[in-house]
Amino acid sequence: MGKKKTIINELERGIYDIKNELRYKYKAKSGLTKEIVEEISYQKNEPKWMRDFRLKSLEIYNKISVPTWGPDISEVNLDNIVTYIKPDVDLKTSWDEVPKDIKKTFDLLGIPQAEKEALAGVGAQFDSEVVYHNIKEELVNLGVIYTDMETAVREYEDIVKKYFMKLVPPNDHKFAALHGAVWSGGSFVYVPKGINVEIPLQSYFRLNAPGAGQFEHTLIIVEEGAKLHFIEGCSAPKYSVINLHAGCVELFVKEGATLRYSTIENWSKNMYNLNTKRAIVEKNGTIEWVSGSFGSKVSMLYPMSILKGEGAKAEFTGITFAGNGQHLDTGAKIVHAAPYTSSNINSKSISKDGGVALYRGVVKISKDAHHSKSTISCESLMLDDKSKSDTIPVIKVENDEVDLGHEAKIGRISDDVIFYLMSRGISEKEAKAMIVRGFVEPISKELPLEYAVEMNNLINIELEGTIG
């Protein structure tokens, strides 16, 4: 691994850069060994099958090479990463029982307030473990399960065994294997047949410790004819050492079911975000992704939808913002594996101050997926002549009875438009912000209100210093 020095952009990010005192019940040694993996399993009092799964994943990790394509991630050295930090608080169902300083951070991030006003359940993770979890009683009475993954392994073992890392197996890639070995925290959601969860559930993941990794696992099963909107948020304060995020999201959408999965990833600029998200959709089911990628030094994130059943649908709406020193390599993958399936990808990216924003995507229409439709739209906006943007779409079509369209636009912000707005008394800074807000408006309108507000705040933060 390389020894390049991490350069941290001194951008003021307000509440997102709050650092809590580092307190913990248990902290693993840095690095990745069999002993560390066994200790994580011991700390969680896991059943043997999960411990064996972790060790098998570690074996796979040691055999798989680092990807040779995409951004440079040679700076990620597992010898320097702490993979597990257990905070000094057990899981609570009341915010009053969460330590004051941790609760204060979540208060400032708006989580308890959002829970009161707009959510049916909330989970909050701090470093490697979930510290708060709650769900409205009426959903419990309908049979909806929403809990942390550790509780799910103990109390819903049969379901977890059936689905856990079946969609993203450890041999999928090196960081999936790493995740399988050291995963911790995350969310488990099970929505029974025919149940419509009308109010969203939300999990928030906060990484506080410098030099640590976060490896939360999200497993959602939406049974036949059911409906759910699940929201994830994540953030971390800025440090001068590398942090690593290698989470995993597995979504199972059964026949006629609908799942909307919204997320705003808001990492600090010392973070390598190597996340994996995947959904499998059965007959007439629908998966809707709404994704915002902000912060991080490097991101590699390509949510994948496998349209397994006839008439299955996938919608992907995503925004990426790359600033100075950032390389955000994001996109979407869709596999049409059945007839009459449809997909729509709408991706937008913004780059400034030398940032690199790249769309990398795959659409595959198999030989059995006749009468399928797919539309891909990629738009990139560069705010200066130092930034870079590109699209790498891969399209594989194995039958002739399909309807497929692809459109890509890359351009710089128009000096004429800026000049026009300035001639109307608007400052250059505000003129750029107006153009950016208009560019991302199709994405922000798909987000819940509080997340749309957060995204606009993040854009304002990113735009600070763009002028002059």
Side-chain angles (χ1 to χ4, degrees), residues 316-386:
F316 176 85
T317 306
I319 180 77
T320 298
F321 199 133
N324 183 27
Q326 293 180 269
H327 188 152
L328 304 191
D329 194 301
T330 63
K333 296 190 281 188
I334 311 275
V335 176
H336 291 255
Y340 300 99
T341 49
S342 61
S343 64
N344 184 21
I345 296 173
N346 182 16
S347 173
K348 289 174 180 276
S349 70
I350 303 163
S351 53
K352 71 172 183 84
D353 293 342
V356 179
L358 188 143
Y359 171 85
R360 190 188 302 271
V362 175
V363 172
K364 179 181 178 182
I365 300 181
S366 72
K367 62 182 180 182
D368 296 324
H370 56 83
H371 295 93
S372 290
K373 296 180 179 179
S374 181
T375 304
I376 309 153
S377 172
C378 308
E379 293 183 68
S380 301
L381 179 66
M382 290 178 285
L383 301 189
D384 52 52
D385 58 4
K386 296 183 291 184

Side-chain angles (χ1 to χ4, degrees), residues 109-369:
L109 292 166
I111 309 303
Q113 188 67 24
E115 180 183 14
K116 287 179 192 169
E117 296 176 354
L119 299 168
V122 161
Q125 179 162 334
F126 193 77
D127 286 332
S128 298
E129 296 284 356
V130 175
V131 297
Y132 172 85
H133 219 291
N134 208 357
I135 177 174
K136 287 186 183 297
E137 190 66 27
E138 50 263 43
L139 287 184
V140 175
N141 293 336
L142 290 171
V144 176
I145 302 167
Y146 174 41
T147 187
D148 61 299
M149 276 304 302
E150 283 76 6
T151 300
V153 170
R154 288 193 304 271
E155 298 184 5
Y156 307 101
E157 186 174 359
D158 290 346
I159 306 178
V160 174
K161 275 179 106 169
K162 182 178 178 182
Y163 292 101
F164 184 83
M165 293 200 80
K166 294 294 194 296
L167 201 48
V168 183
N171 59 8
D172 202 67
H173 58 81
K174 192 169 185 71
F175 295 96
L178 172 65
H179 179 91
V182 299
W183 75 270
S184 186
S187 306
F188 174 78
V189 185
Y190 178 84
V191 185
K193 181 179 177 181
I195 298 298
N196 180 4
V197 181
E198 295 178 350
I199 304 174
L201 303 175
Q202 174 183 287
S203 288
Y204 198 95
F205 305 104
R206 176 73 176 175
L207 179 60
N208 178 64
Q214 194 169 54
F215 307 96
E216 83 283 353
H217 192 93
T218 298
L219 175 59
I220 300 176
I221 301 129
V222 186
E223 290 285 8
E224 188 178 329
K227 193 172 183 181
L228 172 70
H229 183 188
F230 187 78
I231 305 168
E232 278 190 356
C234 33
S235 64
K238 175 181 62 188
Y239 290 107
S240 57
V241 293
I242 291 299
N243 277 39
L244 173 64
H245 178 235
C248 180
V249 174
E250 297 184 289
L251 311 176
F252 294 84
V253 182
K254 301 298 181 70
E255 183 173 334
T258 297
L259 172 60
R260 169 170 279 212
Y261 173 92
S262 302
T263 182
I264 294 284
E265 297 204 32
N266 172 24
W267 299 113
S268 51
K269 292 180 180 172
N270 59 309
M271 177 69 81
Y272 278 77
N273 180 27
L274 311 176
N275 213 2
T276 307
K277 301 181 180 183
R278 197 163 294 170
I280 189 162
V281 190
E282 298 188 7
K283 185 177 180 181
N284 294 325
T286 301
I287 179 71
E288 300 172 352
W289 303 90
V290 181
S291 176
S293 293
F294 293 82
S296 79
K297 183 171 184 179
V298 170
S299 276
M300 297 176 75
L301 177 60
Y302 322 97
M304 181 179 187
S305 306
I306 302 168
L307 304 179
K308 178 186 173 188
E310 183 174 324
K313 298 177 182 174
E315 296 272 341
F316 176 85
T317 306
I319 180 77
T320 298
F321 199 133
N324 183 27
Q326 293 180 269
H327 188 152
L328 304 191
D329 194 301
T330 63
K333 296 190 281 188
I334 311 275
V335 176
H336 291 255
Y340 300 99
T341 49
S342 61
S343 64
N344 184 21
I345 296 173
N346 182 16
S347 173
K348 289 174 180 276
S349 70
I350 303 163
S351 53
K352 71 172 183 84
D353 293 342
V356 179
L358 188 143
Y359 171 85
R360 190 188 302 271
V362 175
V363 172
K364 179 181 178 182
I365 300 181
S366 72
K367 62 182 180 182
D368 296 324

Side-chain angles (χ1 to χ4, degrees), residues 56 185 187 192 435:
K56 183 66 181 175
S187 306
I435 292 169

Side-chain angles (χ1 to χ4, degrees), residues 367-421:
K367 62 182 180 182
D368 296 324
H370 56 83
H371 295 93
S372 290
K373 296 180 179 179
S374 181
T375 304
I376 309 153
S377 172
C378 308
E379 293 183 68
S380 301
L381 179 66
M382 290 178 285
L383 301 189
D384 52 52
D385 58 4
K386 296 183 291 184
S387 303
K388 295 180 181 177
S389 191
D390 204 350
T391 62
I392 306 176
V394 175
I395 298 172
K396 299 177 181 177
V397 181
E398 297 177 351
N399 77 71
D400 295 330
E401 295 178 290
V402 299
D403 184 346
L404 190 144
H406 176 258
E407 181 181 15
K409 295 179 185 173
I410 296 179
R412 291 198 177 92
I413 200 163
S414 167
D415 290 339
D416 291 343
V417 175
I418 295 288
F419 179 77
Y420 173 80
L421 291 171

